[in-house]
């Protein structure tokens, strides 16, 4: 991987452009209107990107985090100025039209943050984020804007306590299947839904939000604890204050995101990704962030890293630990300290601490070896995510192999084809799917969805109905990080582009061989050609508003579903 951007052409920024010189008297007049004093004009102005809102549980505490960040900035001699970024809750948006808008918000967040930051020429930025598309969208913006920037998340939710023990949102989606199968009463379901999500914060397992917050540490853009300190803990506010102070150090030393987000830093992020067993959504987001940093990185680049990286953690949904337990074990730095023992990380990479990764890891120990396996005794010698190819996914597909039972690592069965998530969910709940089947959900990719919806509902329902160890599901859409089982997503090319997944017929045999990284449809080349000639591209499911524009621009999933 090498950088493809001419750094000399990047726009120089700084608040002096809007506050110094006689010609800026009108600008200073407006700054006075904000309450700034004359002394403030000699201080760096720091943009505080606050993603607070009152609909996302992971963002309901961000005003408190923002106030702590601002105190840190003031204490270190800067002037904090807060502005908003949008965010949505994937869990609340799941299973209806709202999920069409989830992935697309990543680019809206990036674009709108760029617009405000460039318009006001901040000297530095603090990105206060938490949930699924918010973190990658702001990482993309940080790379694009390229002024000194630090990330400060709102932190993970505490694990819930339901009738089944410790639980999270993924258990609630699975309980729908348990209830549908007649194995849970209405009363039990009602009680569990009150207990599964007990606090503010991003959902408590190693789902997409926590995956991306943890990888923000791995790539060097967040302080230690950014991804793991629970949202309700006062340590979260202390970390926020330190982040506010530290952005001032980054401004003084002129350390910018592109000094940190280098090709080697992205390799570090992918390595930690595989060790943690992160959400498959990371393989959409990391390439998109890399693109903004000028680093060419695609789906296939993850495969060799996965093959050489041991899987050290099994957090929910892959296991029974939660992010709060990872924090108790020493967090992401403890994971990286294990990886460093076998020279799996580039330790000379700069981070937002102003020190290299290797310097940051000095003295770090793994406090709970049952939560973070020692490098000598991993769960597996290979990583948590696999990239599959074959005649059904010539450009690739992804699966969270650390969350699959041993018996489903290799599977062959008849296809049951559905052209939407709704149709598949109806068939699953209706008892139409049988052991051995391969459920195919297509026309749910970046263009076909549109918006590449997450499909936690059908996968969780299969698990809840007891079919998780006998039924596979493949899609050109994507999955929540809370998904477990043989769920293969990001199949590329997608159906809307005439990819092979569009040509599958009910009853066709599909072969899945995860350890050999294969996904194949067992029909002849001649039959493939015949079906391709007969295929007719359908009309878009949604053909208005932003999604209409999005469909015309978005790339395929193997390239990160990015906009030009």
């Amino acid at each position: 991987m090498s950088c493809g951007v001419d750094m000399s052409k990047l726009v120089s920024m700084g608040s002096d452009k809007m506050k110094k010189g006689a010609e800026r008297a009108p600008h200073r007049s407006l700054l006075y209107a904000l309450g700034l004093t004359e002394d403030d004009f000699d201080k760096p102005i720091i943009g505080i990107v606050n993603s607070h809102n009152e609909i996302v549980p992971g963002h309901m505490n961000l005003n408190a985090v923002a106030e702590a960040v601002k105190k840190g900035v003031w204490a270190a001699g800067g002037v904090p100025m807060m502005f908003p970024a949008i965010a949505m809750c994937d869990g609340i948006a799941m299973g209806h039209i709202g999920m069409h808008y989830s992935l697309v918000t990543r680019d809206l967040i990036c674009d709108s943050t760029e617009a405000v930051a460039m318009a006001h020429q901040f000297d530095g930025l603090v990105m206060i984020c938490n949930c699924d598309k918010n973190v990658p969208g702001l990482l993309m913006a940080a790379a694009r804007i390229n002024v000194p920037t630090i990330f400060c998340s709102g932190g993970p939710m505490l694990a819930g306590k339901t009738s089944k023990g410790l639980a999270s949102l993924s258990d609630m989606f699975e309980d729908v299947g348990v209830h549908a199968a007649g194995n849970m009463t209405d009363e039990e379901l009602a009680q569990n839904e009150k207990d599964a999500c007990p606090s503010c914060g991003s959902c408590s397992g190693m789902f997409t939000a926590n995956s991306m917050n943890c990888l923000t540490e791995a790539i060097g853009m967040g302080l230690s604890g950014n991804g793991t300190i629970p949202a309700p803990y006062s340590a979260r506010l202390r970390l926020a204050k330190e982040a506010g102070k530290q952005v001032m150090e980054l401004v003084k030393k002129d350390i910018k995101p592109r000094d940190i987000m280098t090709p080697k830093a992205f390799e570090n992020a992918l390595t930690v990704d595989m060790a943690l067993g992160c959400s498959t959504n990371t393989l959409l987001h990391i390439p998109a962030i890399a693109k903004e940093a000028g680093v060419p990185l695609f789906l296939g680049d993850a495969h060799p890293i996965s093959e050489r990286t041991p899987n050290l953690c099994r957090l929910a949904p892959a296991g029974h630990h939660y992010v709060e337990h990872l924090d108790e074990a020493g967090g992401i730095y403890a994971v990286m300290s294990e990886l460093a023992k076998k020279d799996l990380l580039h330790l000379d990479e700069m981070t937002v601490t102003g020190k290299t990764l290797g310097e940051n890891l000095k003295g770090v120990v793994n406090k709970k070896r049952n939560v973070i396996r020692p490098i000598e005794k991993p769960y597996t010698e290979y990583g948590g995510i696999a990239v599959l190819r074959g005649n059904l996914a010539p450009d690739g597909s992804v699966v969270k192999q650390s969350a699959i039972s041993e018996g489903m690592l290799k599977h062959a069965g008849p296809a049951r084809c559905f052209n939407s998530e709704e149709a598949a969910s109806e068939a699953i709940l209706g008892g139409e799917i049988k052991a051995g089947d391969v459920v195919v959900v297509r026309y749910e990719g970046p263009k076909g969805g549109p918006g590449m919806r997450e499909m936690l509902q059908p996968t969780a329902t299969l698990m809840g109905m007891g079919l998780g160890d006998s039924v596979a599901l493949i899609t050109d859409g994507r999955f929540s990080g809370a998904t477990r089982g043989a769920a293969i997503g990001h199949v590329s090319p997608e159906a809307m582009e005439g990819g092979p997944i569009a040509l599958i017929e009910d009853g066709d045999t599909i072969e899945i061989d995860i350890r050999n990284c294969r996904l194949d449809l067992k029909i002849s080349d001649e039959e493939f050609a015949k079906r391709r000639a007969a295929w007719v591209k359908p009309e878009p499911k949604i053909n208005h508003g932003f999604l209409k524009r999005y469909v015309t621009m978005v790339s395929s999933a193997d390239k990160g579903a990015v906009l030009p």
Side-chain angles (χ1 to χ4, degrees), residues 10 44 336 365 399 500 553:
L10 294 176
M336 291 193 286
V365 296
V399 63
M553 297 184 290

Side-chain angles (χ1 to χ4, degrees), residues 48 50-53 58-72 82 128 152-154 200 231-234 236-241:
I48 311 297
N50 183 4
S51 306
H52 170 266
N53 65 40
H59 290 225
M60 63 186 287
N61 66 322
L62 294 191
N63 275 346
V65 173
E67 288 303 314
V69 167
K70 289 162 67 177
K71 288 176 182 176
M82 191 163 62
I128 301 173
C152 185
S153 85
C200 61
Y233 288 9
S234 297
R236 175 59 57 183
L237 299 180
R238 294 196 294 271
L239 183 73
K241 191 177 291 185

Side-chain angles (χ1 to χ4, degrees), residues 363-375:
V364 173
V365 296
N366 179 358
K367 300 175 185 177
K368 290 195 172 184
R369 294 158 73 89
N370 64 320
V371 177
I372 304 171
R373 288 275 186 96
I375 194 76

Side-chain angles (χ1 to χ4, degrees), residues 137-150:
L138 290 176
L139 280 166
M140 290 164 66
R144 186 186 295 179
I145 299 162
N146 203 43
V147 298
T149 301
I150 193 168

Side-chain angles (χ1 to χ4, degrees), residues 402-434:
S402 60
I404 300 176
S405 64
E406 187 71 25
M408 288 299 289
L409 290 173
K410 193 168 186 178
H411 179 78
R416 295 294 312 279
C417 300
F418 304 94
N419 290 344
S420 70
E421 177 191 359
E422 289 84 357
S425 293
E426 184 178 348
I428 294 167
L429 285 168
E432 298 175 27
I433 304 303
K434 307 300 180 186

